Amino acid sequence: MSFKTDLHQDLFRLYERYVGEPDSKKDVYGYWLFILGYVIGAAGVFTFVLGYAGNADSYTLIRISGVTAATGLAFCLFGIVLMLPVRRRGIQAGALGLAVALGGVVFFGYAYPYNWRELGADYSVEVITVYTIGIGIIAGVTALVPILTGRKGMFVEEEGTTEDPPILTGDALEGAQFAVFRDENGDWTWNVLHLEALAGTESSAVTRPDAREGIERVKSQISSAGLMELTTSAFRLYEGRDGTWQWALARDDGSIVGTCAGEFDQRDAAENSVSFLKDRGPKADVIEIDDAAFTYTEERDQWFWKLVDDERNPLAAGEDGYHTQERAEEAARTFAERYDQARLLDIEHVGVELHERGDDWTWRIVDDADDVVATCTDAFGSRRGAEEAAEALLPELGSAAITVAGEPTYEHYQSRDEWHWRLVDENEHVVAQSPEGVADHDDSERRAEALQTNARDADVAEIETAEYEVFPAAQKLTFDEDDDLSMSANDQSVVTDGGTAAADGEDTTEWQWRLVTSDREIIAGSREPCGSPEAAEDAIDRVREQANEADLIEFENAAFQVYEADDGEWRWRLIDEDGNVLADSGEEHTSRSEAAEAMMTLKEQAPDAELLEIETAAFELFVNEDDEWGWRLIDEGGKLVAEDPSTHPTRDDAREAMNRLLEHLDSNVRTMDRAIFQPYADDDWHWRFVLPSGETVAVEGEEHPTRDELVDSIDSIREAAASAQAYTVGDVAVQLYGSNEWRFRLLDRDREEIADADGSYADRDAALAAVEELTAHADEAPIFAIEEAAIRLDSSEGWTWDLVDRDREVIASGVGTASNKEAVMSDIETVRDLAPIAGRVDFDVASFELVADEDDEWRWRLLDEDGRTVATGNESHVSNEAAREAIEDVRSLIEKASILEIDSVSFELHSAEDEDGWVWRLVDEYGTSMAESTQTYEARTEAREAMNNVKAHAPEGWITFTE
């Protein structure tokens, strides 16, 4: 149905529903034209009011609103004209006025503003005059309706109203009516009229004007209609409205048995088709199928194939239609080839499919409904490469950690044999990481926990070249023999807060110092702990004082040393090359010579030991048992006050290390009782996170161009580090992300995306449930590839199957549904067995084929030797057997049928269907029924007489409408 017809019907339905029953088409169109004019006019007014806002220079706005409002007014008035009971002349006058008014609107659009009101040629008077004349004509028609232009008014007598008899309302086929009229003397008299319904229409009209139009068409053609009397079946040959020729096979009662399958451009082609039916139809056999066969049907100008078994039960059907039967046959053969080799996608939970993407291969995860869950973002040069990637992924996916984007996270991961960690903030940036790998996972966790525990309170401390750090010494608690809590000053271990608490609650923290450079190289450190930070600072001052006055002493073997003790007494001792005391005088001497004499007695037992006389502090360069060199600072009393924290391969290296102490001897002193962020520059700016013990447990995750930017970023790092949750990630991790809708992606150990979800989920819990389902069954997921096609099970509405290609386009489907999975698997195997051996149905010169529609109603069709459909049956049957029996009647009808060419409107007189008697009907030149008798007549002459009465009186009959 065309757009014009649809609009016409919609307008009438709306009018009838909300306004009332129209008397004519112009009532409806007038009403909607009035509404349209009102909307257009209102739009013009609102455009001016809302947009103009007092701006007198807005010419474009005035022009648009003026044209719109003036057009709307003209349409409104003309719509009123159409709704009034005006005569044709009045409508013509109103149309003329509308044309003149619209001409004035166009004239205004041209003239305004440059030829308006003393501007340019000034056409303002002419424009107003033209528009006013047009509006005046329309308004004049409206005003003169009751007098001159109306169909009902002063000079038109209005008809009275009467109740409609049943025969006029369709409630009876026969009735009587009293007709009251004036006789020749002016007196009233009446007649009784016998009313009989002679004919009716098979079709219906949507609106009253459409019904009137149909009646007028019958009235205009019924008088010239010829008569065709059908005593046997006949082929009706007629030309369609589009100029093509068609035919229909009708019984002697006029019922249509079958029609041609197509349309013919020429009359001769249609006659040849009828001749083929008359020659071949009576002898045509019904097609028999062995095992299975492909059948082909044409629906909506498209050809479809179907696989049926030997009982014509459908097994499979193609998804797409084709323009020709040959294409459909080719598609059926392709189906048989693909189905035989197709893999059955029997996936219980999830599977991994390998598929081509351009010139490369990749993989994707599918669920048990064969919906794509996630797709790999990488491409591989071969299918084997994609398969290896999937094989490596699945075992790891089963134990993968599940993280959430937007939540700070510590990620512990193993690279080769070492463990590392990184801190990811809410923006998915790596803001901190381990400084180096460690062998133990627990050690990696300890370092991350150290950052998490201390980040919020950590200071930002920058070391320019070198700096003394005073830090709490490590201590641990022990138990004595009586299980009393006591503190061992010699046994030490790390404490979280840098201090310890004695049994009585007093702080027993001891302090040490170290001299470190900006890159955390320790130049020197204390040997013994101090009782307070102040004492440690005093020790640093003493080192500075002693180092400035110290001499350099180098020895490779043990040495005797005479020194003055703090109390003024003299002592001696024997020290080895590492500075360890091997022997001591054990007693004090009043003079140096006395101590030396006692020492010489022992020296005879150690003749190789050197003799050192210490009067001031001294640096000692020594070599240890591993032939490594170091230095130590000894005060004038022989006490070790500082030492090299490391050893060196040569004496020169040890001396250089000692000189570095002297170089940075006057560095600043800082008490380090908590962890620090230490910024440092190396082209860009970096930071390291250092505990009071001096251990670096974290470094930056990304570089910063300036120091200020680095310092500004530390606040966000503090919060992320303190609130982050810890996860251990392997080769793959699953990350949830989203806000309104949630998705997930797979990441490798370097946080590079491996795959991304294809769909989204309503909330986070739904996405998490999908991920847990995926990870729970990843180990058992099959890996497969679709070569040409695959068979997919569908249990959404009963069990069935689809044959899909590698792009998941449905090629064919099973017909019907099975009750369970085992049943549909049996159906699949049946199709596997029959599809390869199913051939095209063997057609004779002409063959009848029985086909079932979607409602399981059976019809016949006649095929030629090429399998093309020549004719189709119009009657449906409840079973295959009933349709087969009906073919016997069709053969007889074809054999006896005559050929009738319909080239004009004709009456058909034929026997009634399913009962004795005769009926008639009026058909147009296209074979469409226009009217038919309302009753069955016992004799042919009665039917002919009724038909002749209709033919004689119907052209002059009046039209009445009843509700």
Side-chain angles (χ1 to χ4, degrees):
M1 186 175 291
S2 66
F3 172 78
K4 181 179 179 181
T5 303
D6 291 339
L7 179 62
H8 171 80
Q9 292 184 1
D10 291 341
L11 293 178
F12 269 83
R13 287 193 180 99
L14 290 173
Y15 186 94
E16 290 171 354
R17 181 173 182 180
Y18 296 107
V19 180
E21 184 69 22
D23 292 330
S24 64
K25 291 182 180 180
K26 71 182 189 67
D27 290 344
V28 177
Y29 287 121
Y31 174 80
W32 289 116
L33 187 62
F34 174 82
I35 296 298
L36 177 64
Y38 175 83
V39 172
I40 294 176
V45 173
F46 277 100
T47 300
F48 179 83
V49 173
L50 298 179
Y52 186 60
N55 187 359
D57 296 326
S58 184
Y59 296 123
T60 301
L61 183 62
I62 296 176
R63 184 181 184 184
I64 294 173
S65 59
V67 168
T68 305
T71 302
L73 176 60
F75 283 157
C76 278
L77 290 177
F78 187 68
I80 295 174
V81 170
L82 293 180
M83 287 188 290
L84 291 174
V86 298
R87 301 178 186 272
R88 179 173 296 181
R89 296 295 183 187
I91 295 177
Q92 293 174 348
L96 175 63
L98 176 64
V100 173
L102 293 180
V105 173
V106 174
F107 197 2
F108 172 78
Y110 163 78
Y112 188 86
Y114 302 109
N115 294 298
W116 191 265
R117 300 293 296 272
E118 301 179 357
L119 293 176
D122 190 7
Y123 294 125
S124 56
V125 175
E126 290 82 351
V127 170
I128 294 173
T129 300
V130 172
Y131 183 77
T132 302
I133 291 174
I135 294 298
I137 292 174
I138 302 173
V141 172
T142 304
L144 296 178
V145 164
I147 302 174
L148 300 178
T149 63
R151 290 185 288 112
K152 298 177 182 180
M154 183 179 295
F155 302 109
V156 179
E157 185 176 355
E158 185 175 358
E159 297 179 358
T161 59
T162 59
E163 292 185 358
D164 297 317
I167 190 172
L168 295 182
T169 61
D171 296 328
L173 297 179
E174 218 173 347
Q177 181 177 357
F178 287 89
V180 182
F181 56 93
R182 293 181 184 271
D183 59 14
E184 56 186 7
N185 298 319
D187 297 328
W188 289 94
T189 186
W190 53 269
N191 290 333
V192 177
L193 306 181
H194 175 231
L195 302 179
E196 180 182 1
L198 299 179
T201 179
E202 289 184 344
S203 60
S204 59
V206 177
T207 64
R208 179 181 292 183
D210 290 340
R212 181 186 295 274
E213 183 178 343
I215 295 172
E216 295 292 348
R217 181 168 175 264
V218 172
K219 290 172 64 176
S220 65
Q221 298 189 25
I222 196 170
S223 61
S224 61
L227 173 62
M228 291 190 302
E229 187 171 343
L230 299 180
T231 57
T232 62
S233 59
F235 284 100
R236 290 175 179 164
L237 188 65
Y238 59 92
E239 186 179 9
R241 289 182 173 84
D242 57 357
T244 60
W245 285 84
Q246 303 173 48
W247 59 259
L249 176 62
R251 290 191 178 91
D252 56 0
D253 60 5
S255 60
I256 303 299
V257 180
T259 57
C260 57
E263 299 172 345
F264 305 93
D265 296 333
Q266 296 179 350
R267 180 181 180 278
D268 292 343
E271 285 187 349
N272 291 337
S273 175
V274 171
S275 299
F276 176 84
L277 237 70
K278 287 188 65 64
D279 293 341
R280 304 296 181 181
K283 300 178 181 179
D285 293 328
V286 179
I287 295 173
E288 300 293 340
I289 298 176
D290 295 329
D291 295 328
F294 288 103
T295 63
Y296 306 93
T297 57
E298 187 180 18
E299 300 175 12
R300 303 180 298 278
D301 298 329
Q302 294 283 311
W303 284 89
F304 296 85
W305 64 261
K306 186 178 293 185
L307 177 66
V308 297
D309 61 13
D310 54 359
E311 296 181 357
R312 303 195 65 82
N313 295 316
L315 303 177
E319 184 71 15
D320 299 324
Y322 302 89
H323 294 298
T324 63
Q325 185 171 341
E326 289 75 12
R327 292 288 183 87
E329 291 179 5
E330 182 181 350
R333 290 193 297 270
T334 303
F335 160 77
E337 296 171 359
R338 289 184 173 183
Y339 197 90
D340 186 43
Q341 301 295 328
R343 174 192 177 97
L344 176 62
L345 299 182
D346 187 14
I347 300 174
E348 293 188 8
H349 299 286
V350 292
V352 178
E353 179 192 359
L354 310 179
H355 70 104
E356 285 186 284
R357 186 169 62 191
D359 296 332
D360 297 318
W361 283 83
T362 188
W363 55 262
R364 58 190 175 194
I365 300 174
V366 297
D367 61 12
D368 54 353
D370 197 39
D371 294 326
V372 179
V373 177
T375 301
C376 176
T377 55
D378 293 333
F380 306 90
S382 65
R383 181 168 63 184
R384 179 56 185 155
E387 184 179 10
E388 289 176 346
E391 289 174 345
L393 169 75
L394 292 177
E396 295 294 330
L397 187 57
S399 58
I402 303 174
T403 64
V404 180
E407 296 181 359
T409 303
Y410 288 103
E411 295 180 350
H412 297 271
Y413 61 96
Q414 190 175 21
S415 179
R416 296 181 180 176
D417 296 330
E418 295 184 329
W419 283 90
H420 302 261
W421 63 266
R422 56 181 168 243
L423 173 61
V424 183
D425 68 3
E426 64 274 9
N427 297 317
E428 290 298 294
H429 296 154
V430 177
V431 294
Q433 58 188 345
S434 55
E436 69 276 327
V438 294
D440 186 59
H441 178 267
D442 292 339
D443 195 13
S444 177
E445 287 186 334
R446 180 188 64 80
R447 294 188 174 201
E449 289 172 358
L451 173 65
Q452 185 174 38
T453 303
N454 298 287
R456 275 206 174 100
D457 298 328
D459 297 326
V460 178
E462 181 180 349
I463 300 176
E464 294 185 1
T465 54
E467 198 169 75
Y468 291 99
E469 293 178 344
V470 176
F471 62 95
Q475 293 179 333
K476 68 178 181 179
L477 298 177
T478 62
F479 292 92
D480 59 16
E481 295 179 355
D482 297 329
D483 290 335
D484 293 330
L485 191 63
S486 62
M487 183 70 66
S488 172
N490 295 326
D491 298 330
Q492 300 172 354
S493 63
V494 176
V495 189
T496 302
D497 59 1
T500 59
D504 57 2
E506 295 180 358
D507 186 7
T508 60
T509 303
E510 294 185 324
W511 296 79
Q512 291 182 294
W513 62 268
R514 57 180 170 252
L515 177 61
V516 297
T517 62
S518 59
D519 58 0
R520 300 305 302 176
E521 179 185 359
I522 301 177
I523 299 176
S526 57
R527 182 65 177 269
E528 298 294 336
C530 304
S532 65
E534 292 77 12
E537 292 182 16
D538 291 342
I540 294 172
D541 291 338
R542 185 179 180 191
V543 169
R544 289 172 173 167
E545 179 183 351
Q546 298 291 333
N548 284 326
E549 300 175 355
D551 296 327
L552 176 60
I553 301 175
E554 303 180 44
F555 63 94
E556 299 179 6
N557 301 313
F560 284 99
Q561 187 180 55
V562 177
Y563 63 94
E564 186 178 12
D566 293 339
D567 57 1
E569 299 293 337
W570 287 86
R571 292 175 175 271
W572 65 263
R573 60 186 172 192
L574 176 62
I575 59 176
D576 64 11
E577 64 273 15
D578 294 329
N580 298 318
V581 177
L582 301 178
D584 189 90
S585 60
E587 59 180 340
E588 299 176 348
H589 303 276
T590 57
S591 64
R592 178 175 181 175
S593 59
E594 183 180 348
E597 182 178 354
M599 179 189 66
M600 292 304 294
T601 302
L602 183 62
K603 189 175 185 304
E604 295 176 358
Q605 305 298 323
D608 295 331
E610 300 180 17
L611 178 60
L612 300 179
E613 295 184 8
I614 300 177
E615 296 180 356
T616 62
F619 282 103
E620 294 179 351
L621 296 181
F622 61 92
V623 62
N624 60 19
E625 59 185 7
D626 296 327
D627 293 331
E628 293 285 327
W629 286 84
W631 64 262
R632 55 178 170 249
L633 178 61
I634 306 298
D635 64 10
E636 69 276 6
K639 185 176 181 181
L640 178 64
V641 294
E643 63 180 345
D644 195 344
S646 58
T647 58
H648 311 278
T650 65
R651 178 183 296 176
D652 290 339
D653 291 335
R655 183 183 289 109
E656 182 179 351
M658 180 193 69
N659 290 333
R660 293 186 64 192
L661 168 64
L662 297 174
E663 179 183 352
H664 300 291
L665 199 60
D666 295 326
S667 297
N668 294 330
V669 179
R670 173 172 48 82
T671 299
M672 188 174 174
D673 56 353
R674 65 182 66 182
I676 63 168
F677 287 95
Q678 180 193 335
Y680 65 95
D682 181 12
D683 290 337
D684 292 320
W685 279 85
H686 311 263
W687 59 262
R688 58 173 66 95
F689 191 77
V690 186
L691 299 179
S693 64
E695 180 184 11
T696 298
V697 295
V699 295
E700 81 289 337
E702 54 187 12
E703 301 170 342
H704 301 271
T706 66
R707 184 185 187 282
D708 290 343
E709 290 182 70
L710 180 145
V711 173
D712 291 342
S713 70
I714 287 179
D715 286 339
S716 62
I717 295 173
R718 293 181 198 273
E719 293 303 317
S723 60
Q725 296 185 4
Y727 298 90
T728 299
V729 299
D731 290 337
V732 61
V734 185
Q735 185 184 65
L736 306 179
Y737 67 96
S739 54
N740 295 330
E741 293 184 347
W742 283 82
R743 298 167 62 92
F744 71 87
R745 56 189 165 214
L746 308 184
L747 306 176
D748 63 13
R749 66 172 67 255
D750 297 323
R751 297 188 60 77
E752 296 294 331
E753 187 174 85
I754 301 174
D756 191 21
D758 274 51
S760 60
Y761 303 89
D763 51 43
R764 174 172 164 177
D765 291 340
L768 179 60
V771 169
E772 290 176 343
E773 174 74 10
L774 172 61
T775 56
H777 302 285
D779 289 341
E780 60 195 50
I783 301 175
F784 63 93
I786 299 177
E787 295 289 344
E788 294 293 337
I791 302 170
R792 179 177 64 189
L793 300 181
D794 183 5
S795 60
S796 57
E797 296 180 0
W799 285 89
T800 186
W801 59 266
D802 296 321
L803 181 69
V804 298
D805 62 15
R806 63 181 58 184
D807 296 324
R808 294 307 192 275
E809 295 294 333
V810 178
I811 301 172
S813 302
V815 178
T817 58
S819 58
N820 52 53
K821 184 176 180 180
E822 290 72 19
V824 76
M825 295 288 282
S826 177
D827 293 343
I828 291 172
E829 291 306 315
T830 300
V831 176
R832 279 195 193 275
D833 295 338
L834 296 179
I837 63 175
R840 184 180 131 176
V841 176
D842 292 329
F843 302 105
D844 201 347
V845 177
S847 305
F848 282 104
E849 183 182 29
L850 303 178
V851 294
D853 59 19
E854 58 186 10
D855 297 325
D856 291 331
E857 295 285 335
W858 289 84
R859 298 174 185 267
W860 61 263
R861 62 182 182 179
L862 186 67
L863 310 177
D864 64 12
E865 65 274 13
D866 295 323
R868 293 188 294 266
T869 303
V870 178
T872 57
N874 281 49
E875 298 173 331
S876 59
H877 309 277
V878 295
S879 65
N880 181 288
E881 292 74 14
R884 189 181 294 269
E885 293 175 359
I887 291 178
E888 296 302 324
D889 180 52
V890 172
R891 288 195 182 102
S892 176
L893 293 174
I894 293 175
E895 186 175 12
K896 298 176 181 178
S898 59
I899 301 177
L900 300 176
E901 182 177 344
I902 302 175
D903 55 3
S904 63
V905 178
S906 304
F907 281 101
E908 287 183 355
L909 185 63
H910 53 79
S911 60
E913 182 180 3
D914 298 332
E915 59 180 298
D916 296 332
W918 292 81
V919 293
W920 63 262
R921 69 177 180 171
L922 181 68
V923 296
D924 63 10
E925 64 272 25
Y926 307 115
T928 304
S929 177
M930 301 173 64
E932 62 181 6
S933 60
T934 57
Q935 57 183 297
T936 302
Y937 300 92
E938 294 182 359
R940 182 170 63 85
T941 55
E942 293 179 3
R944 180 187 289 272
E945 183 180 354
M947 180 184 68
N948 289 332
N949 287 335
V950 172
K951 183 175 181 180
H953 300 293
E956 302 300 328
W958 69 86
I959 302 172
T960 60
F961 288 91
T962 59
E963 295 294 336

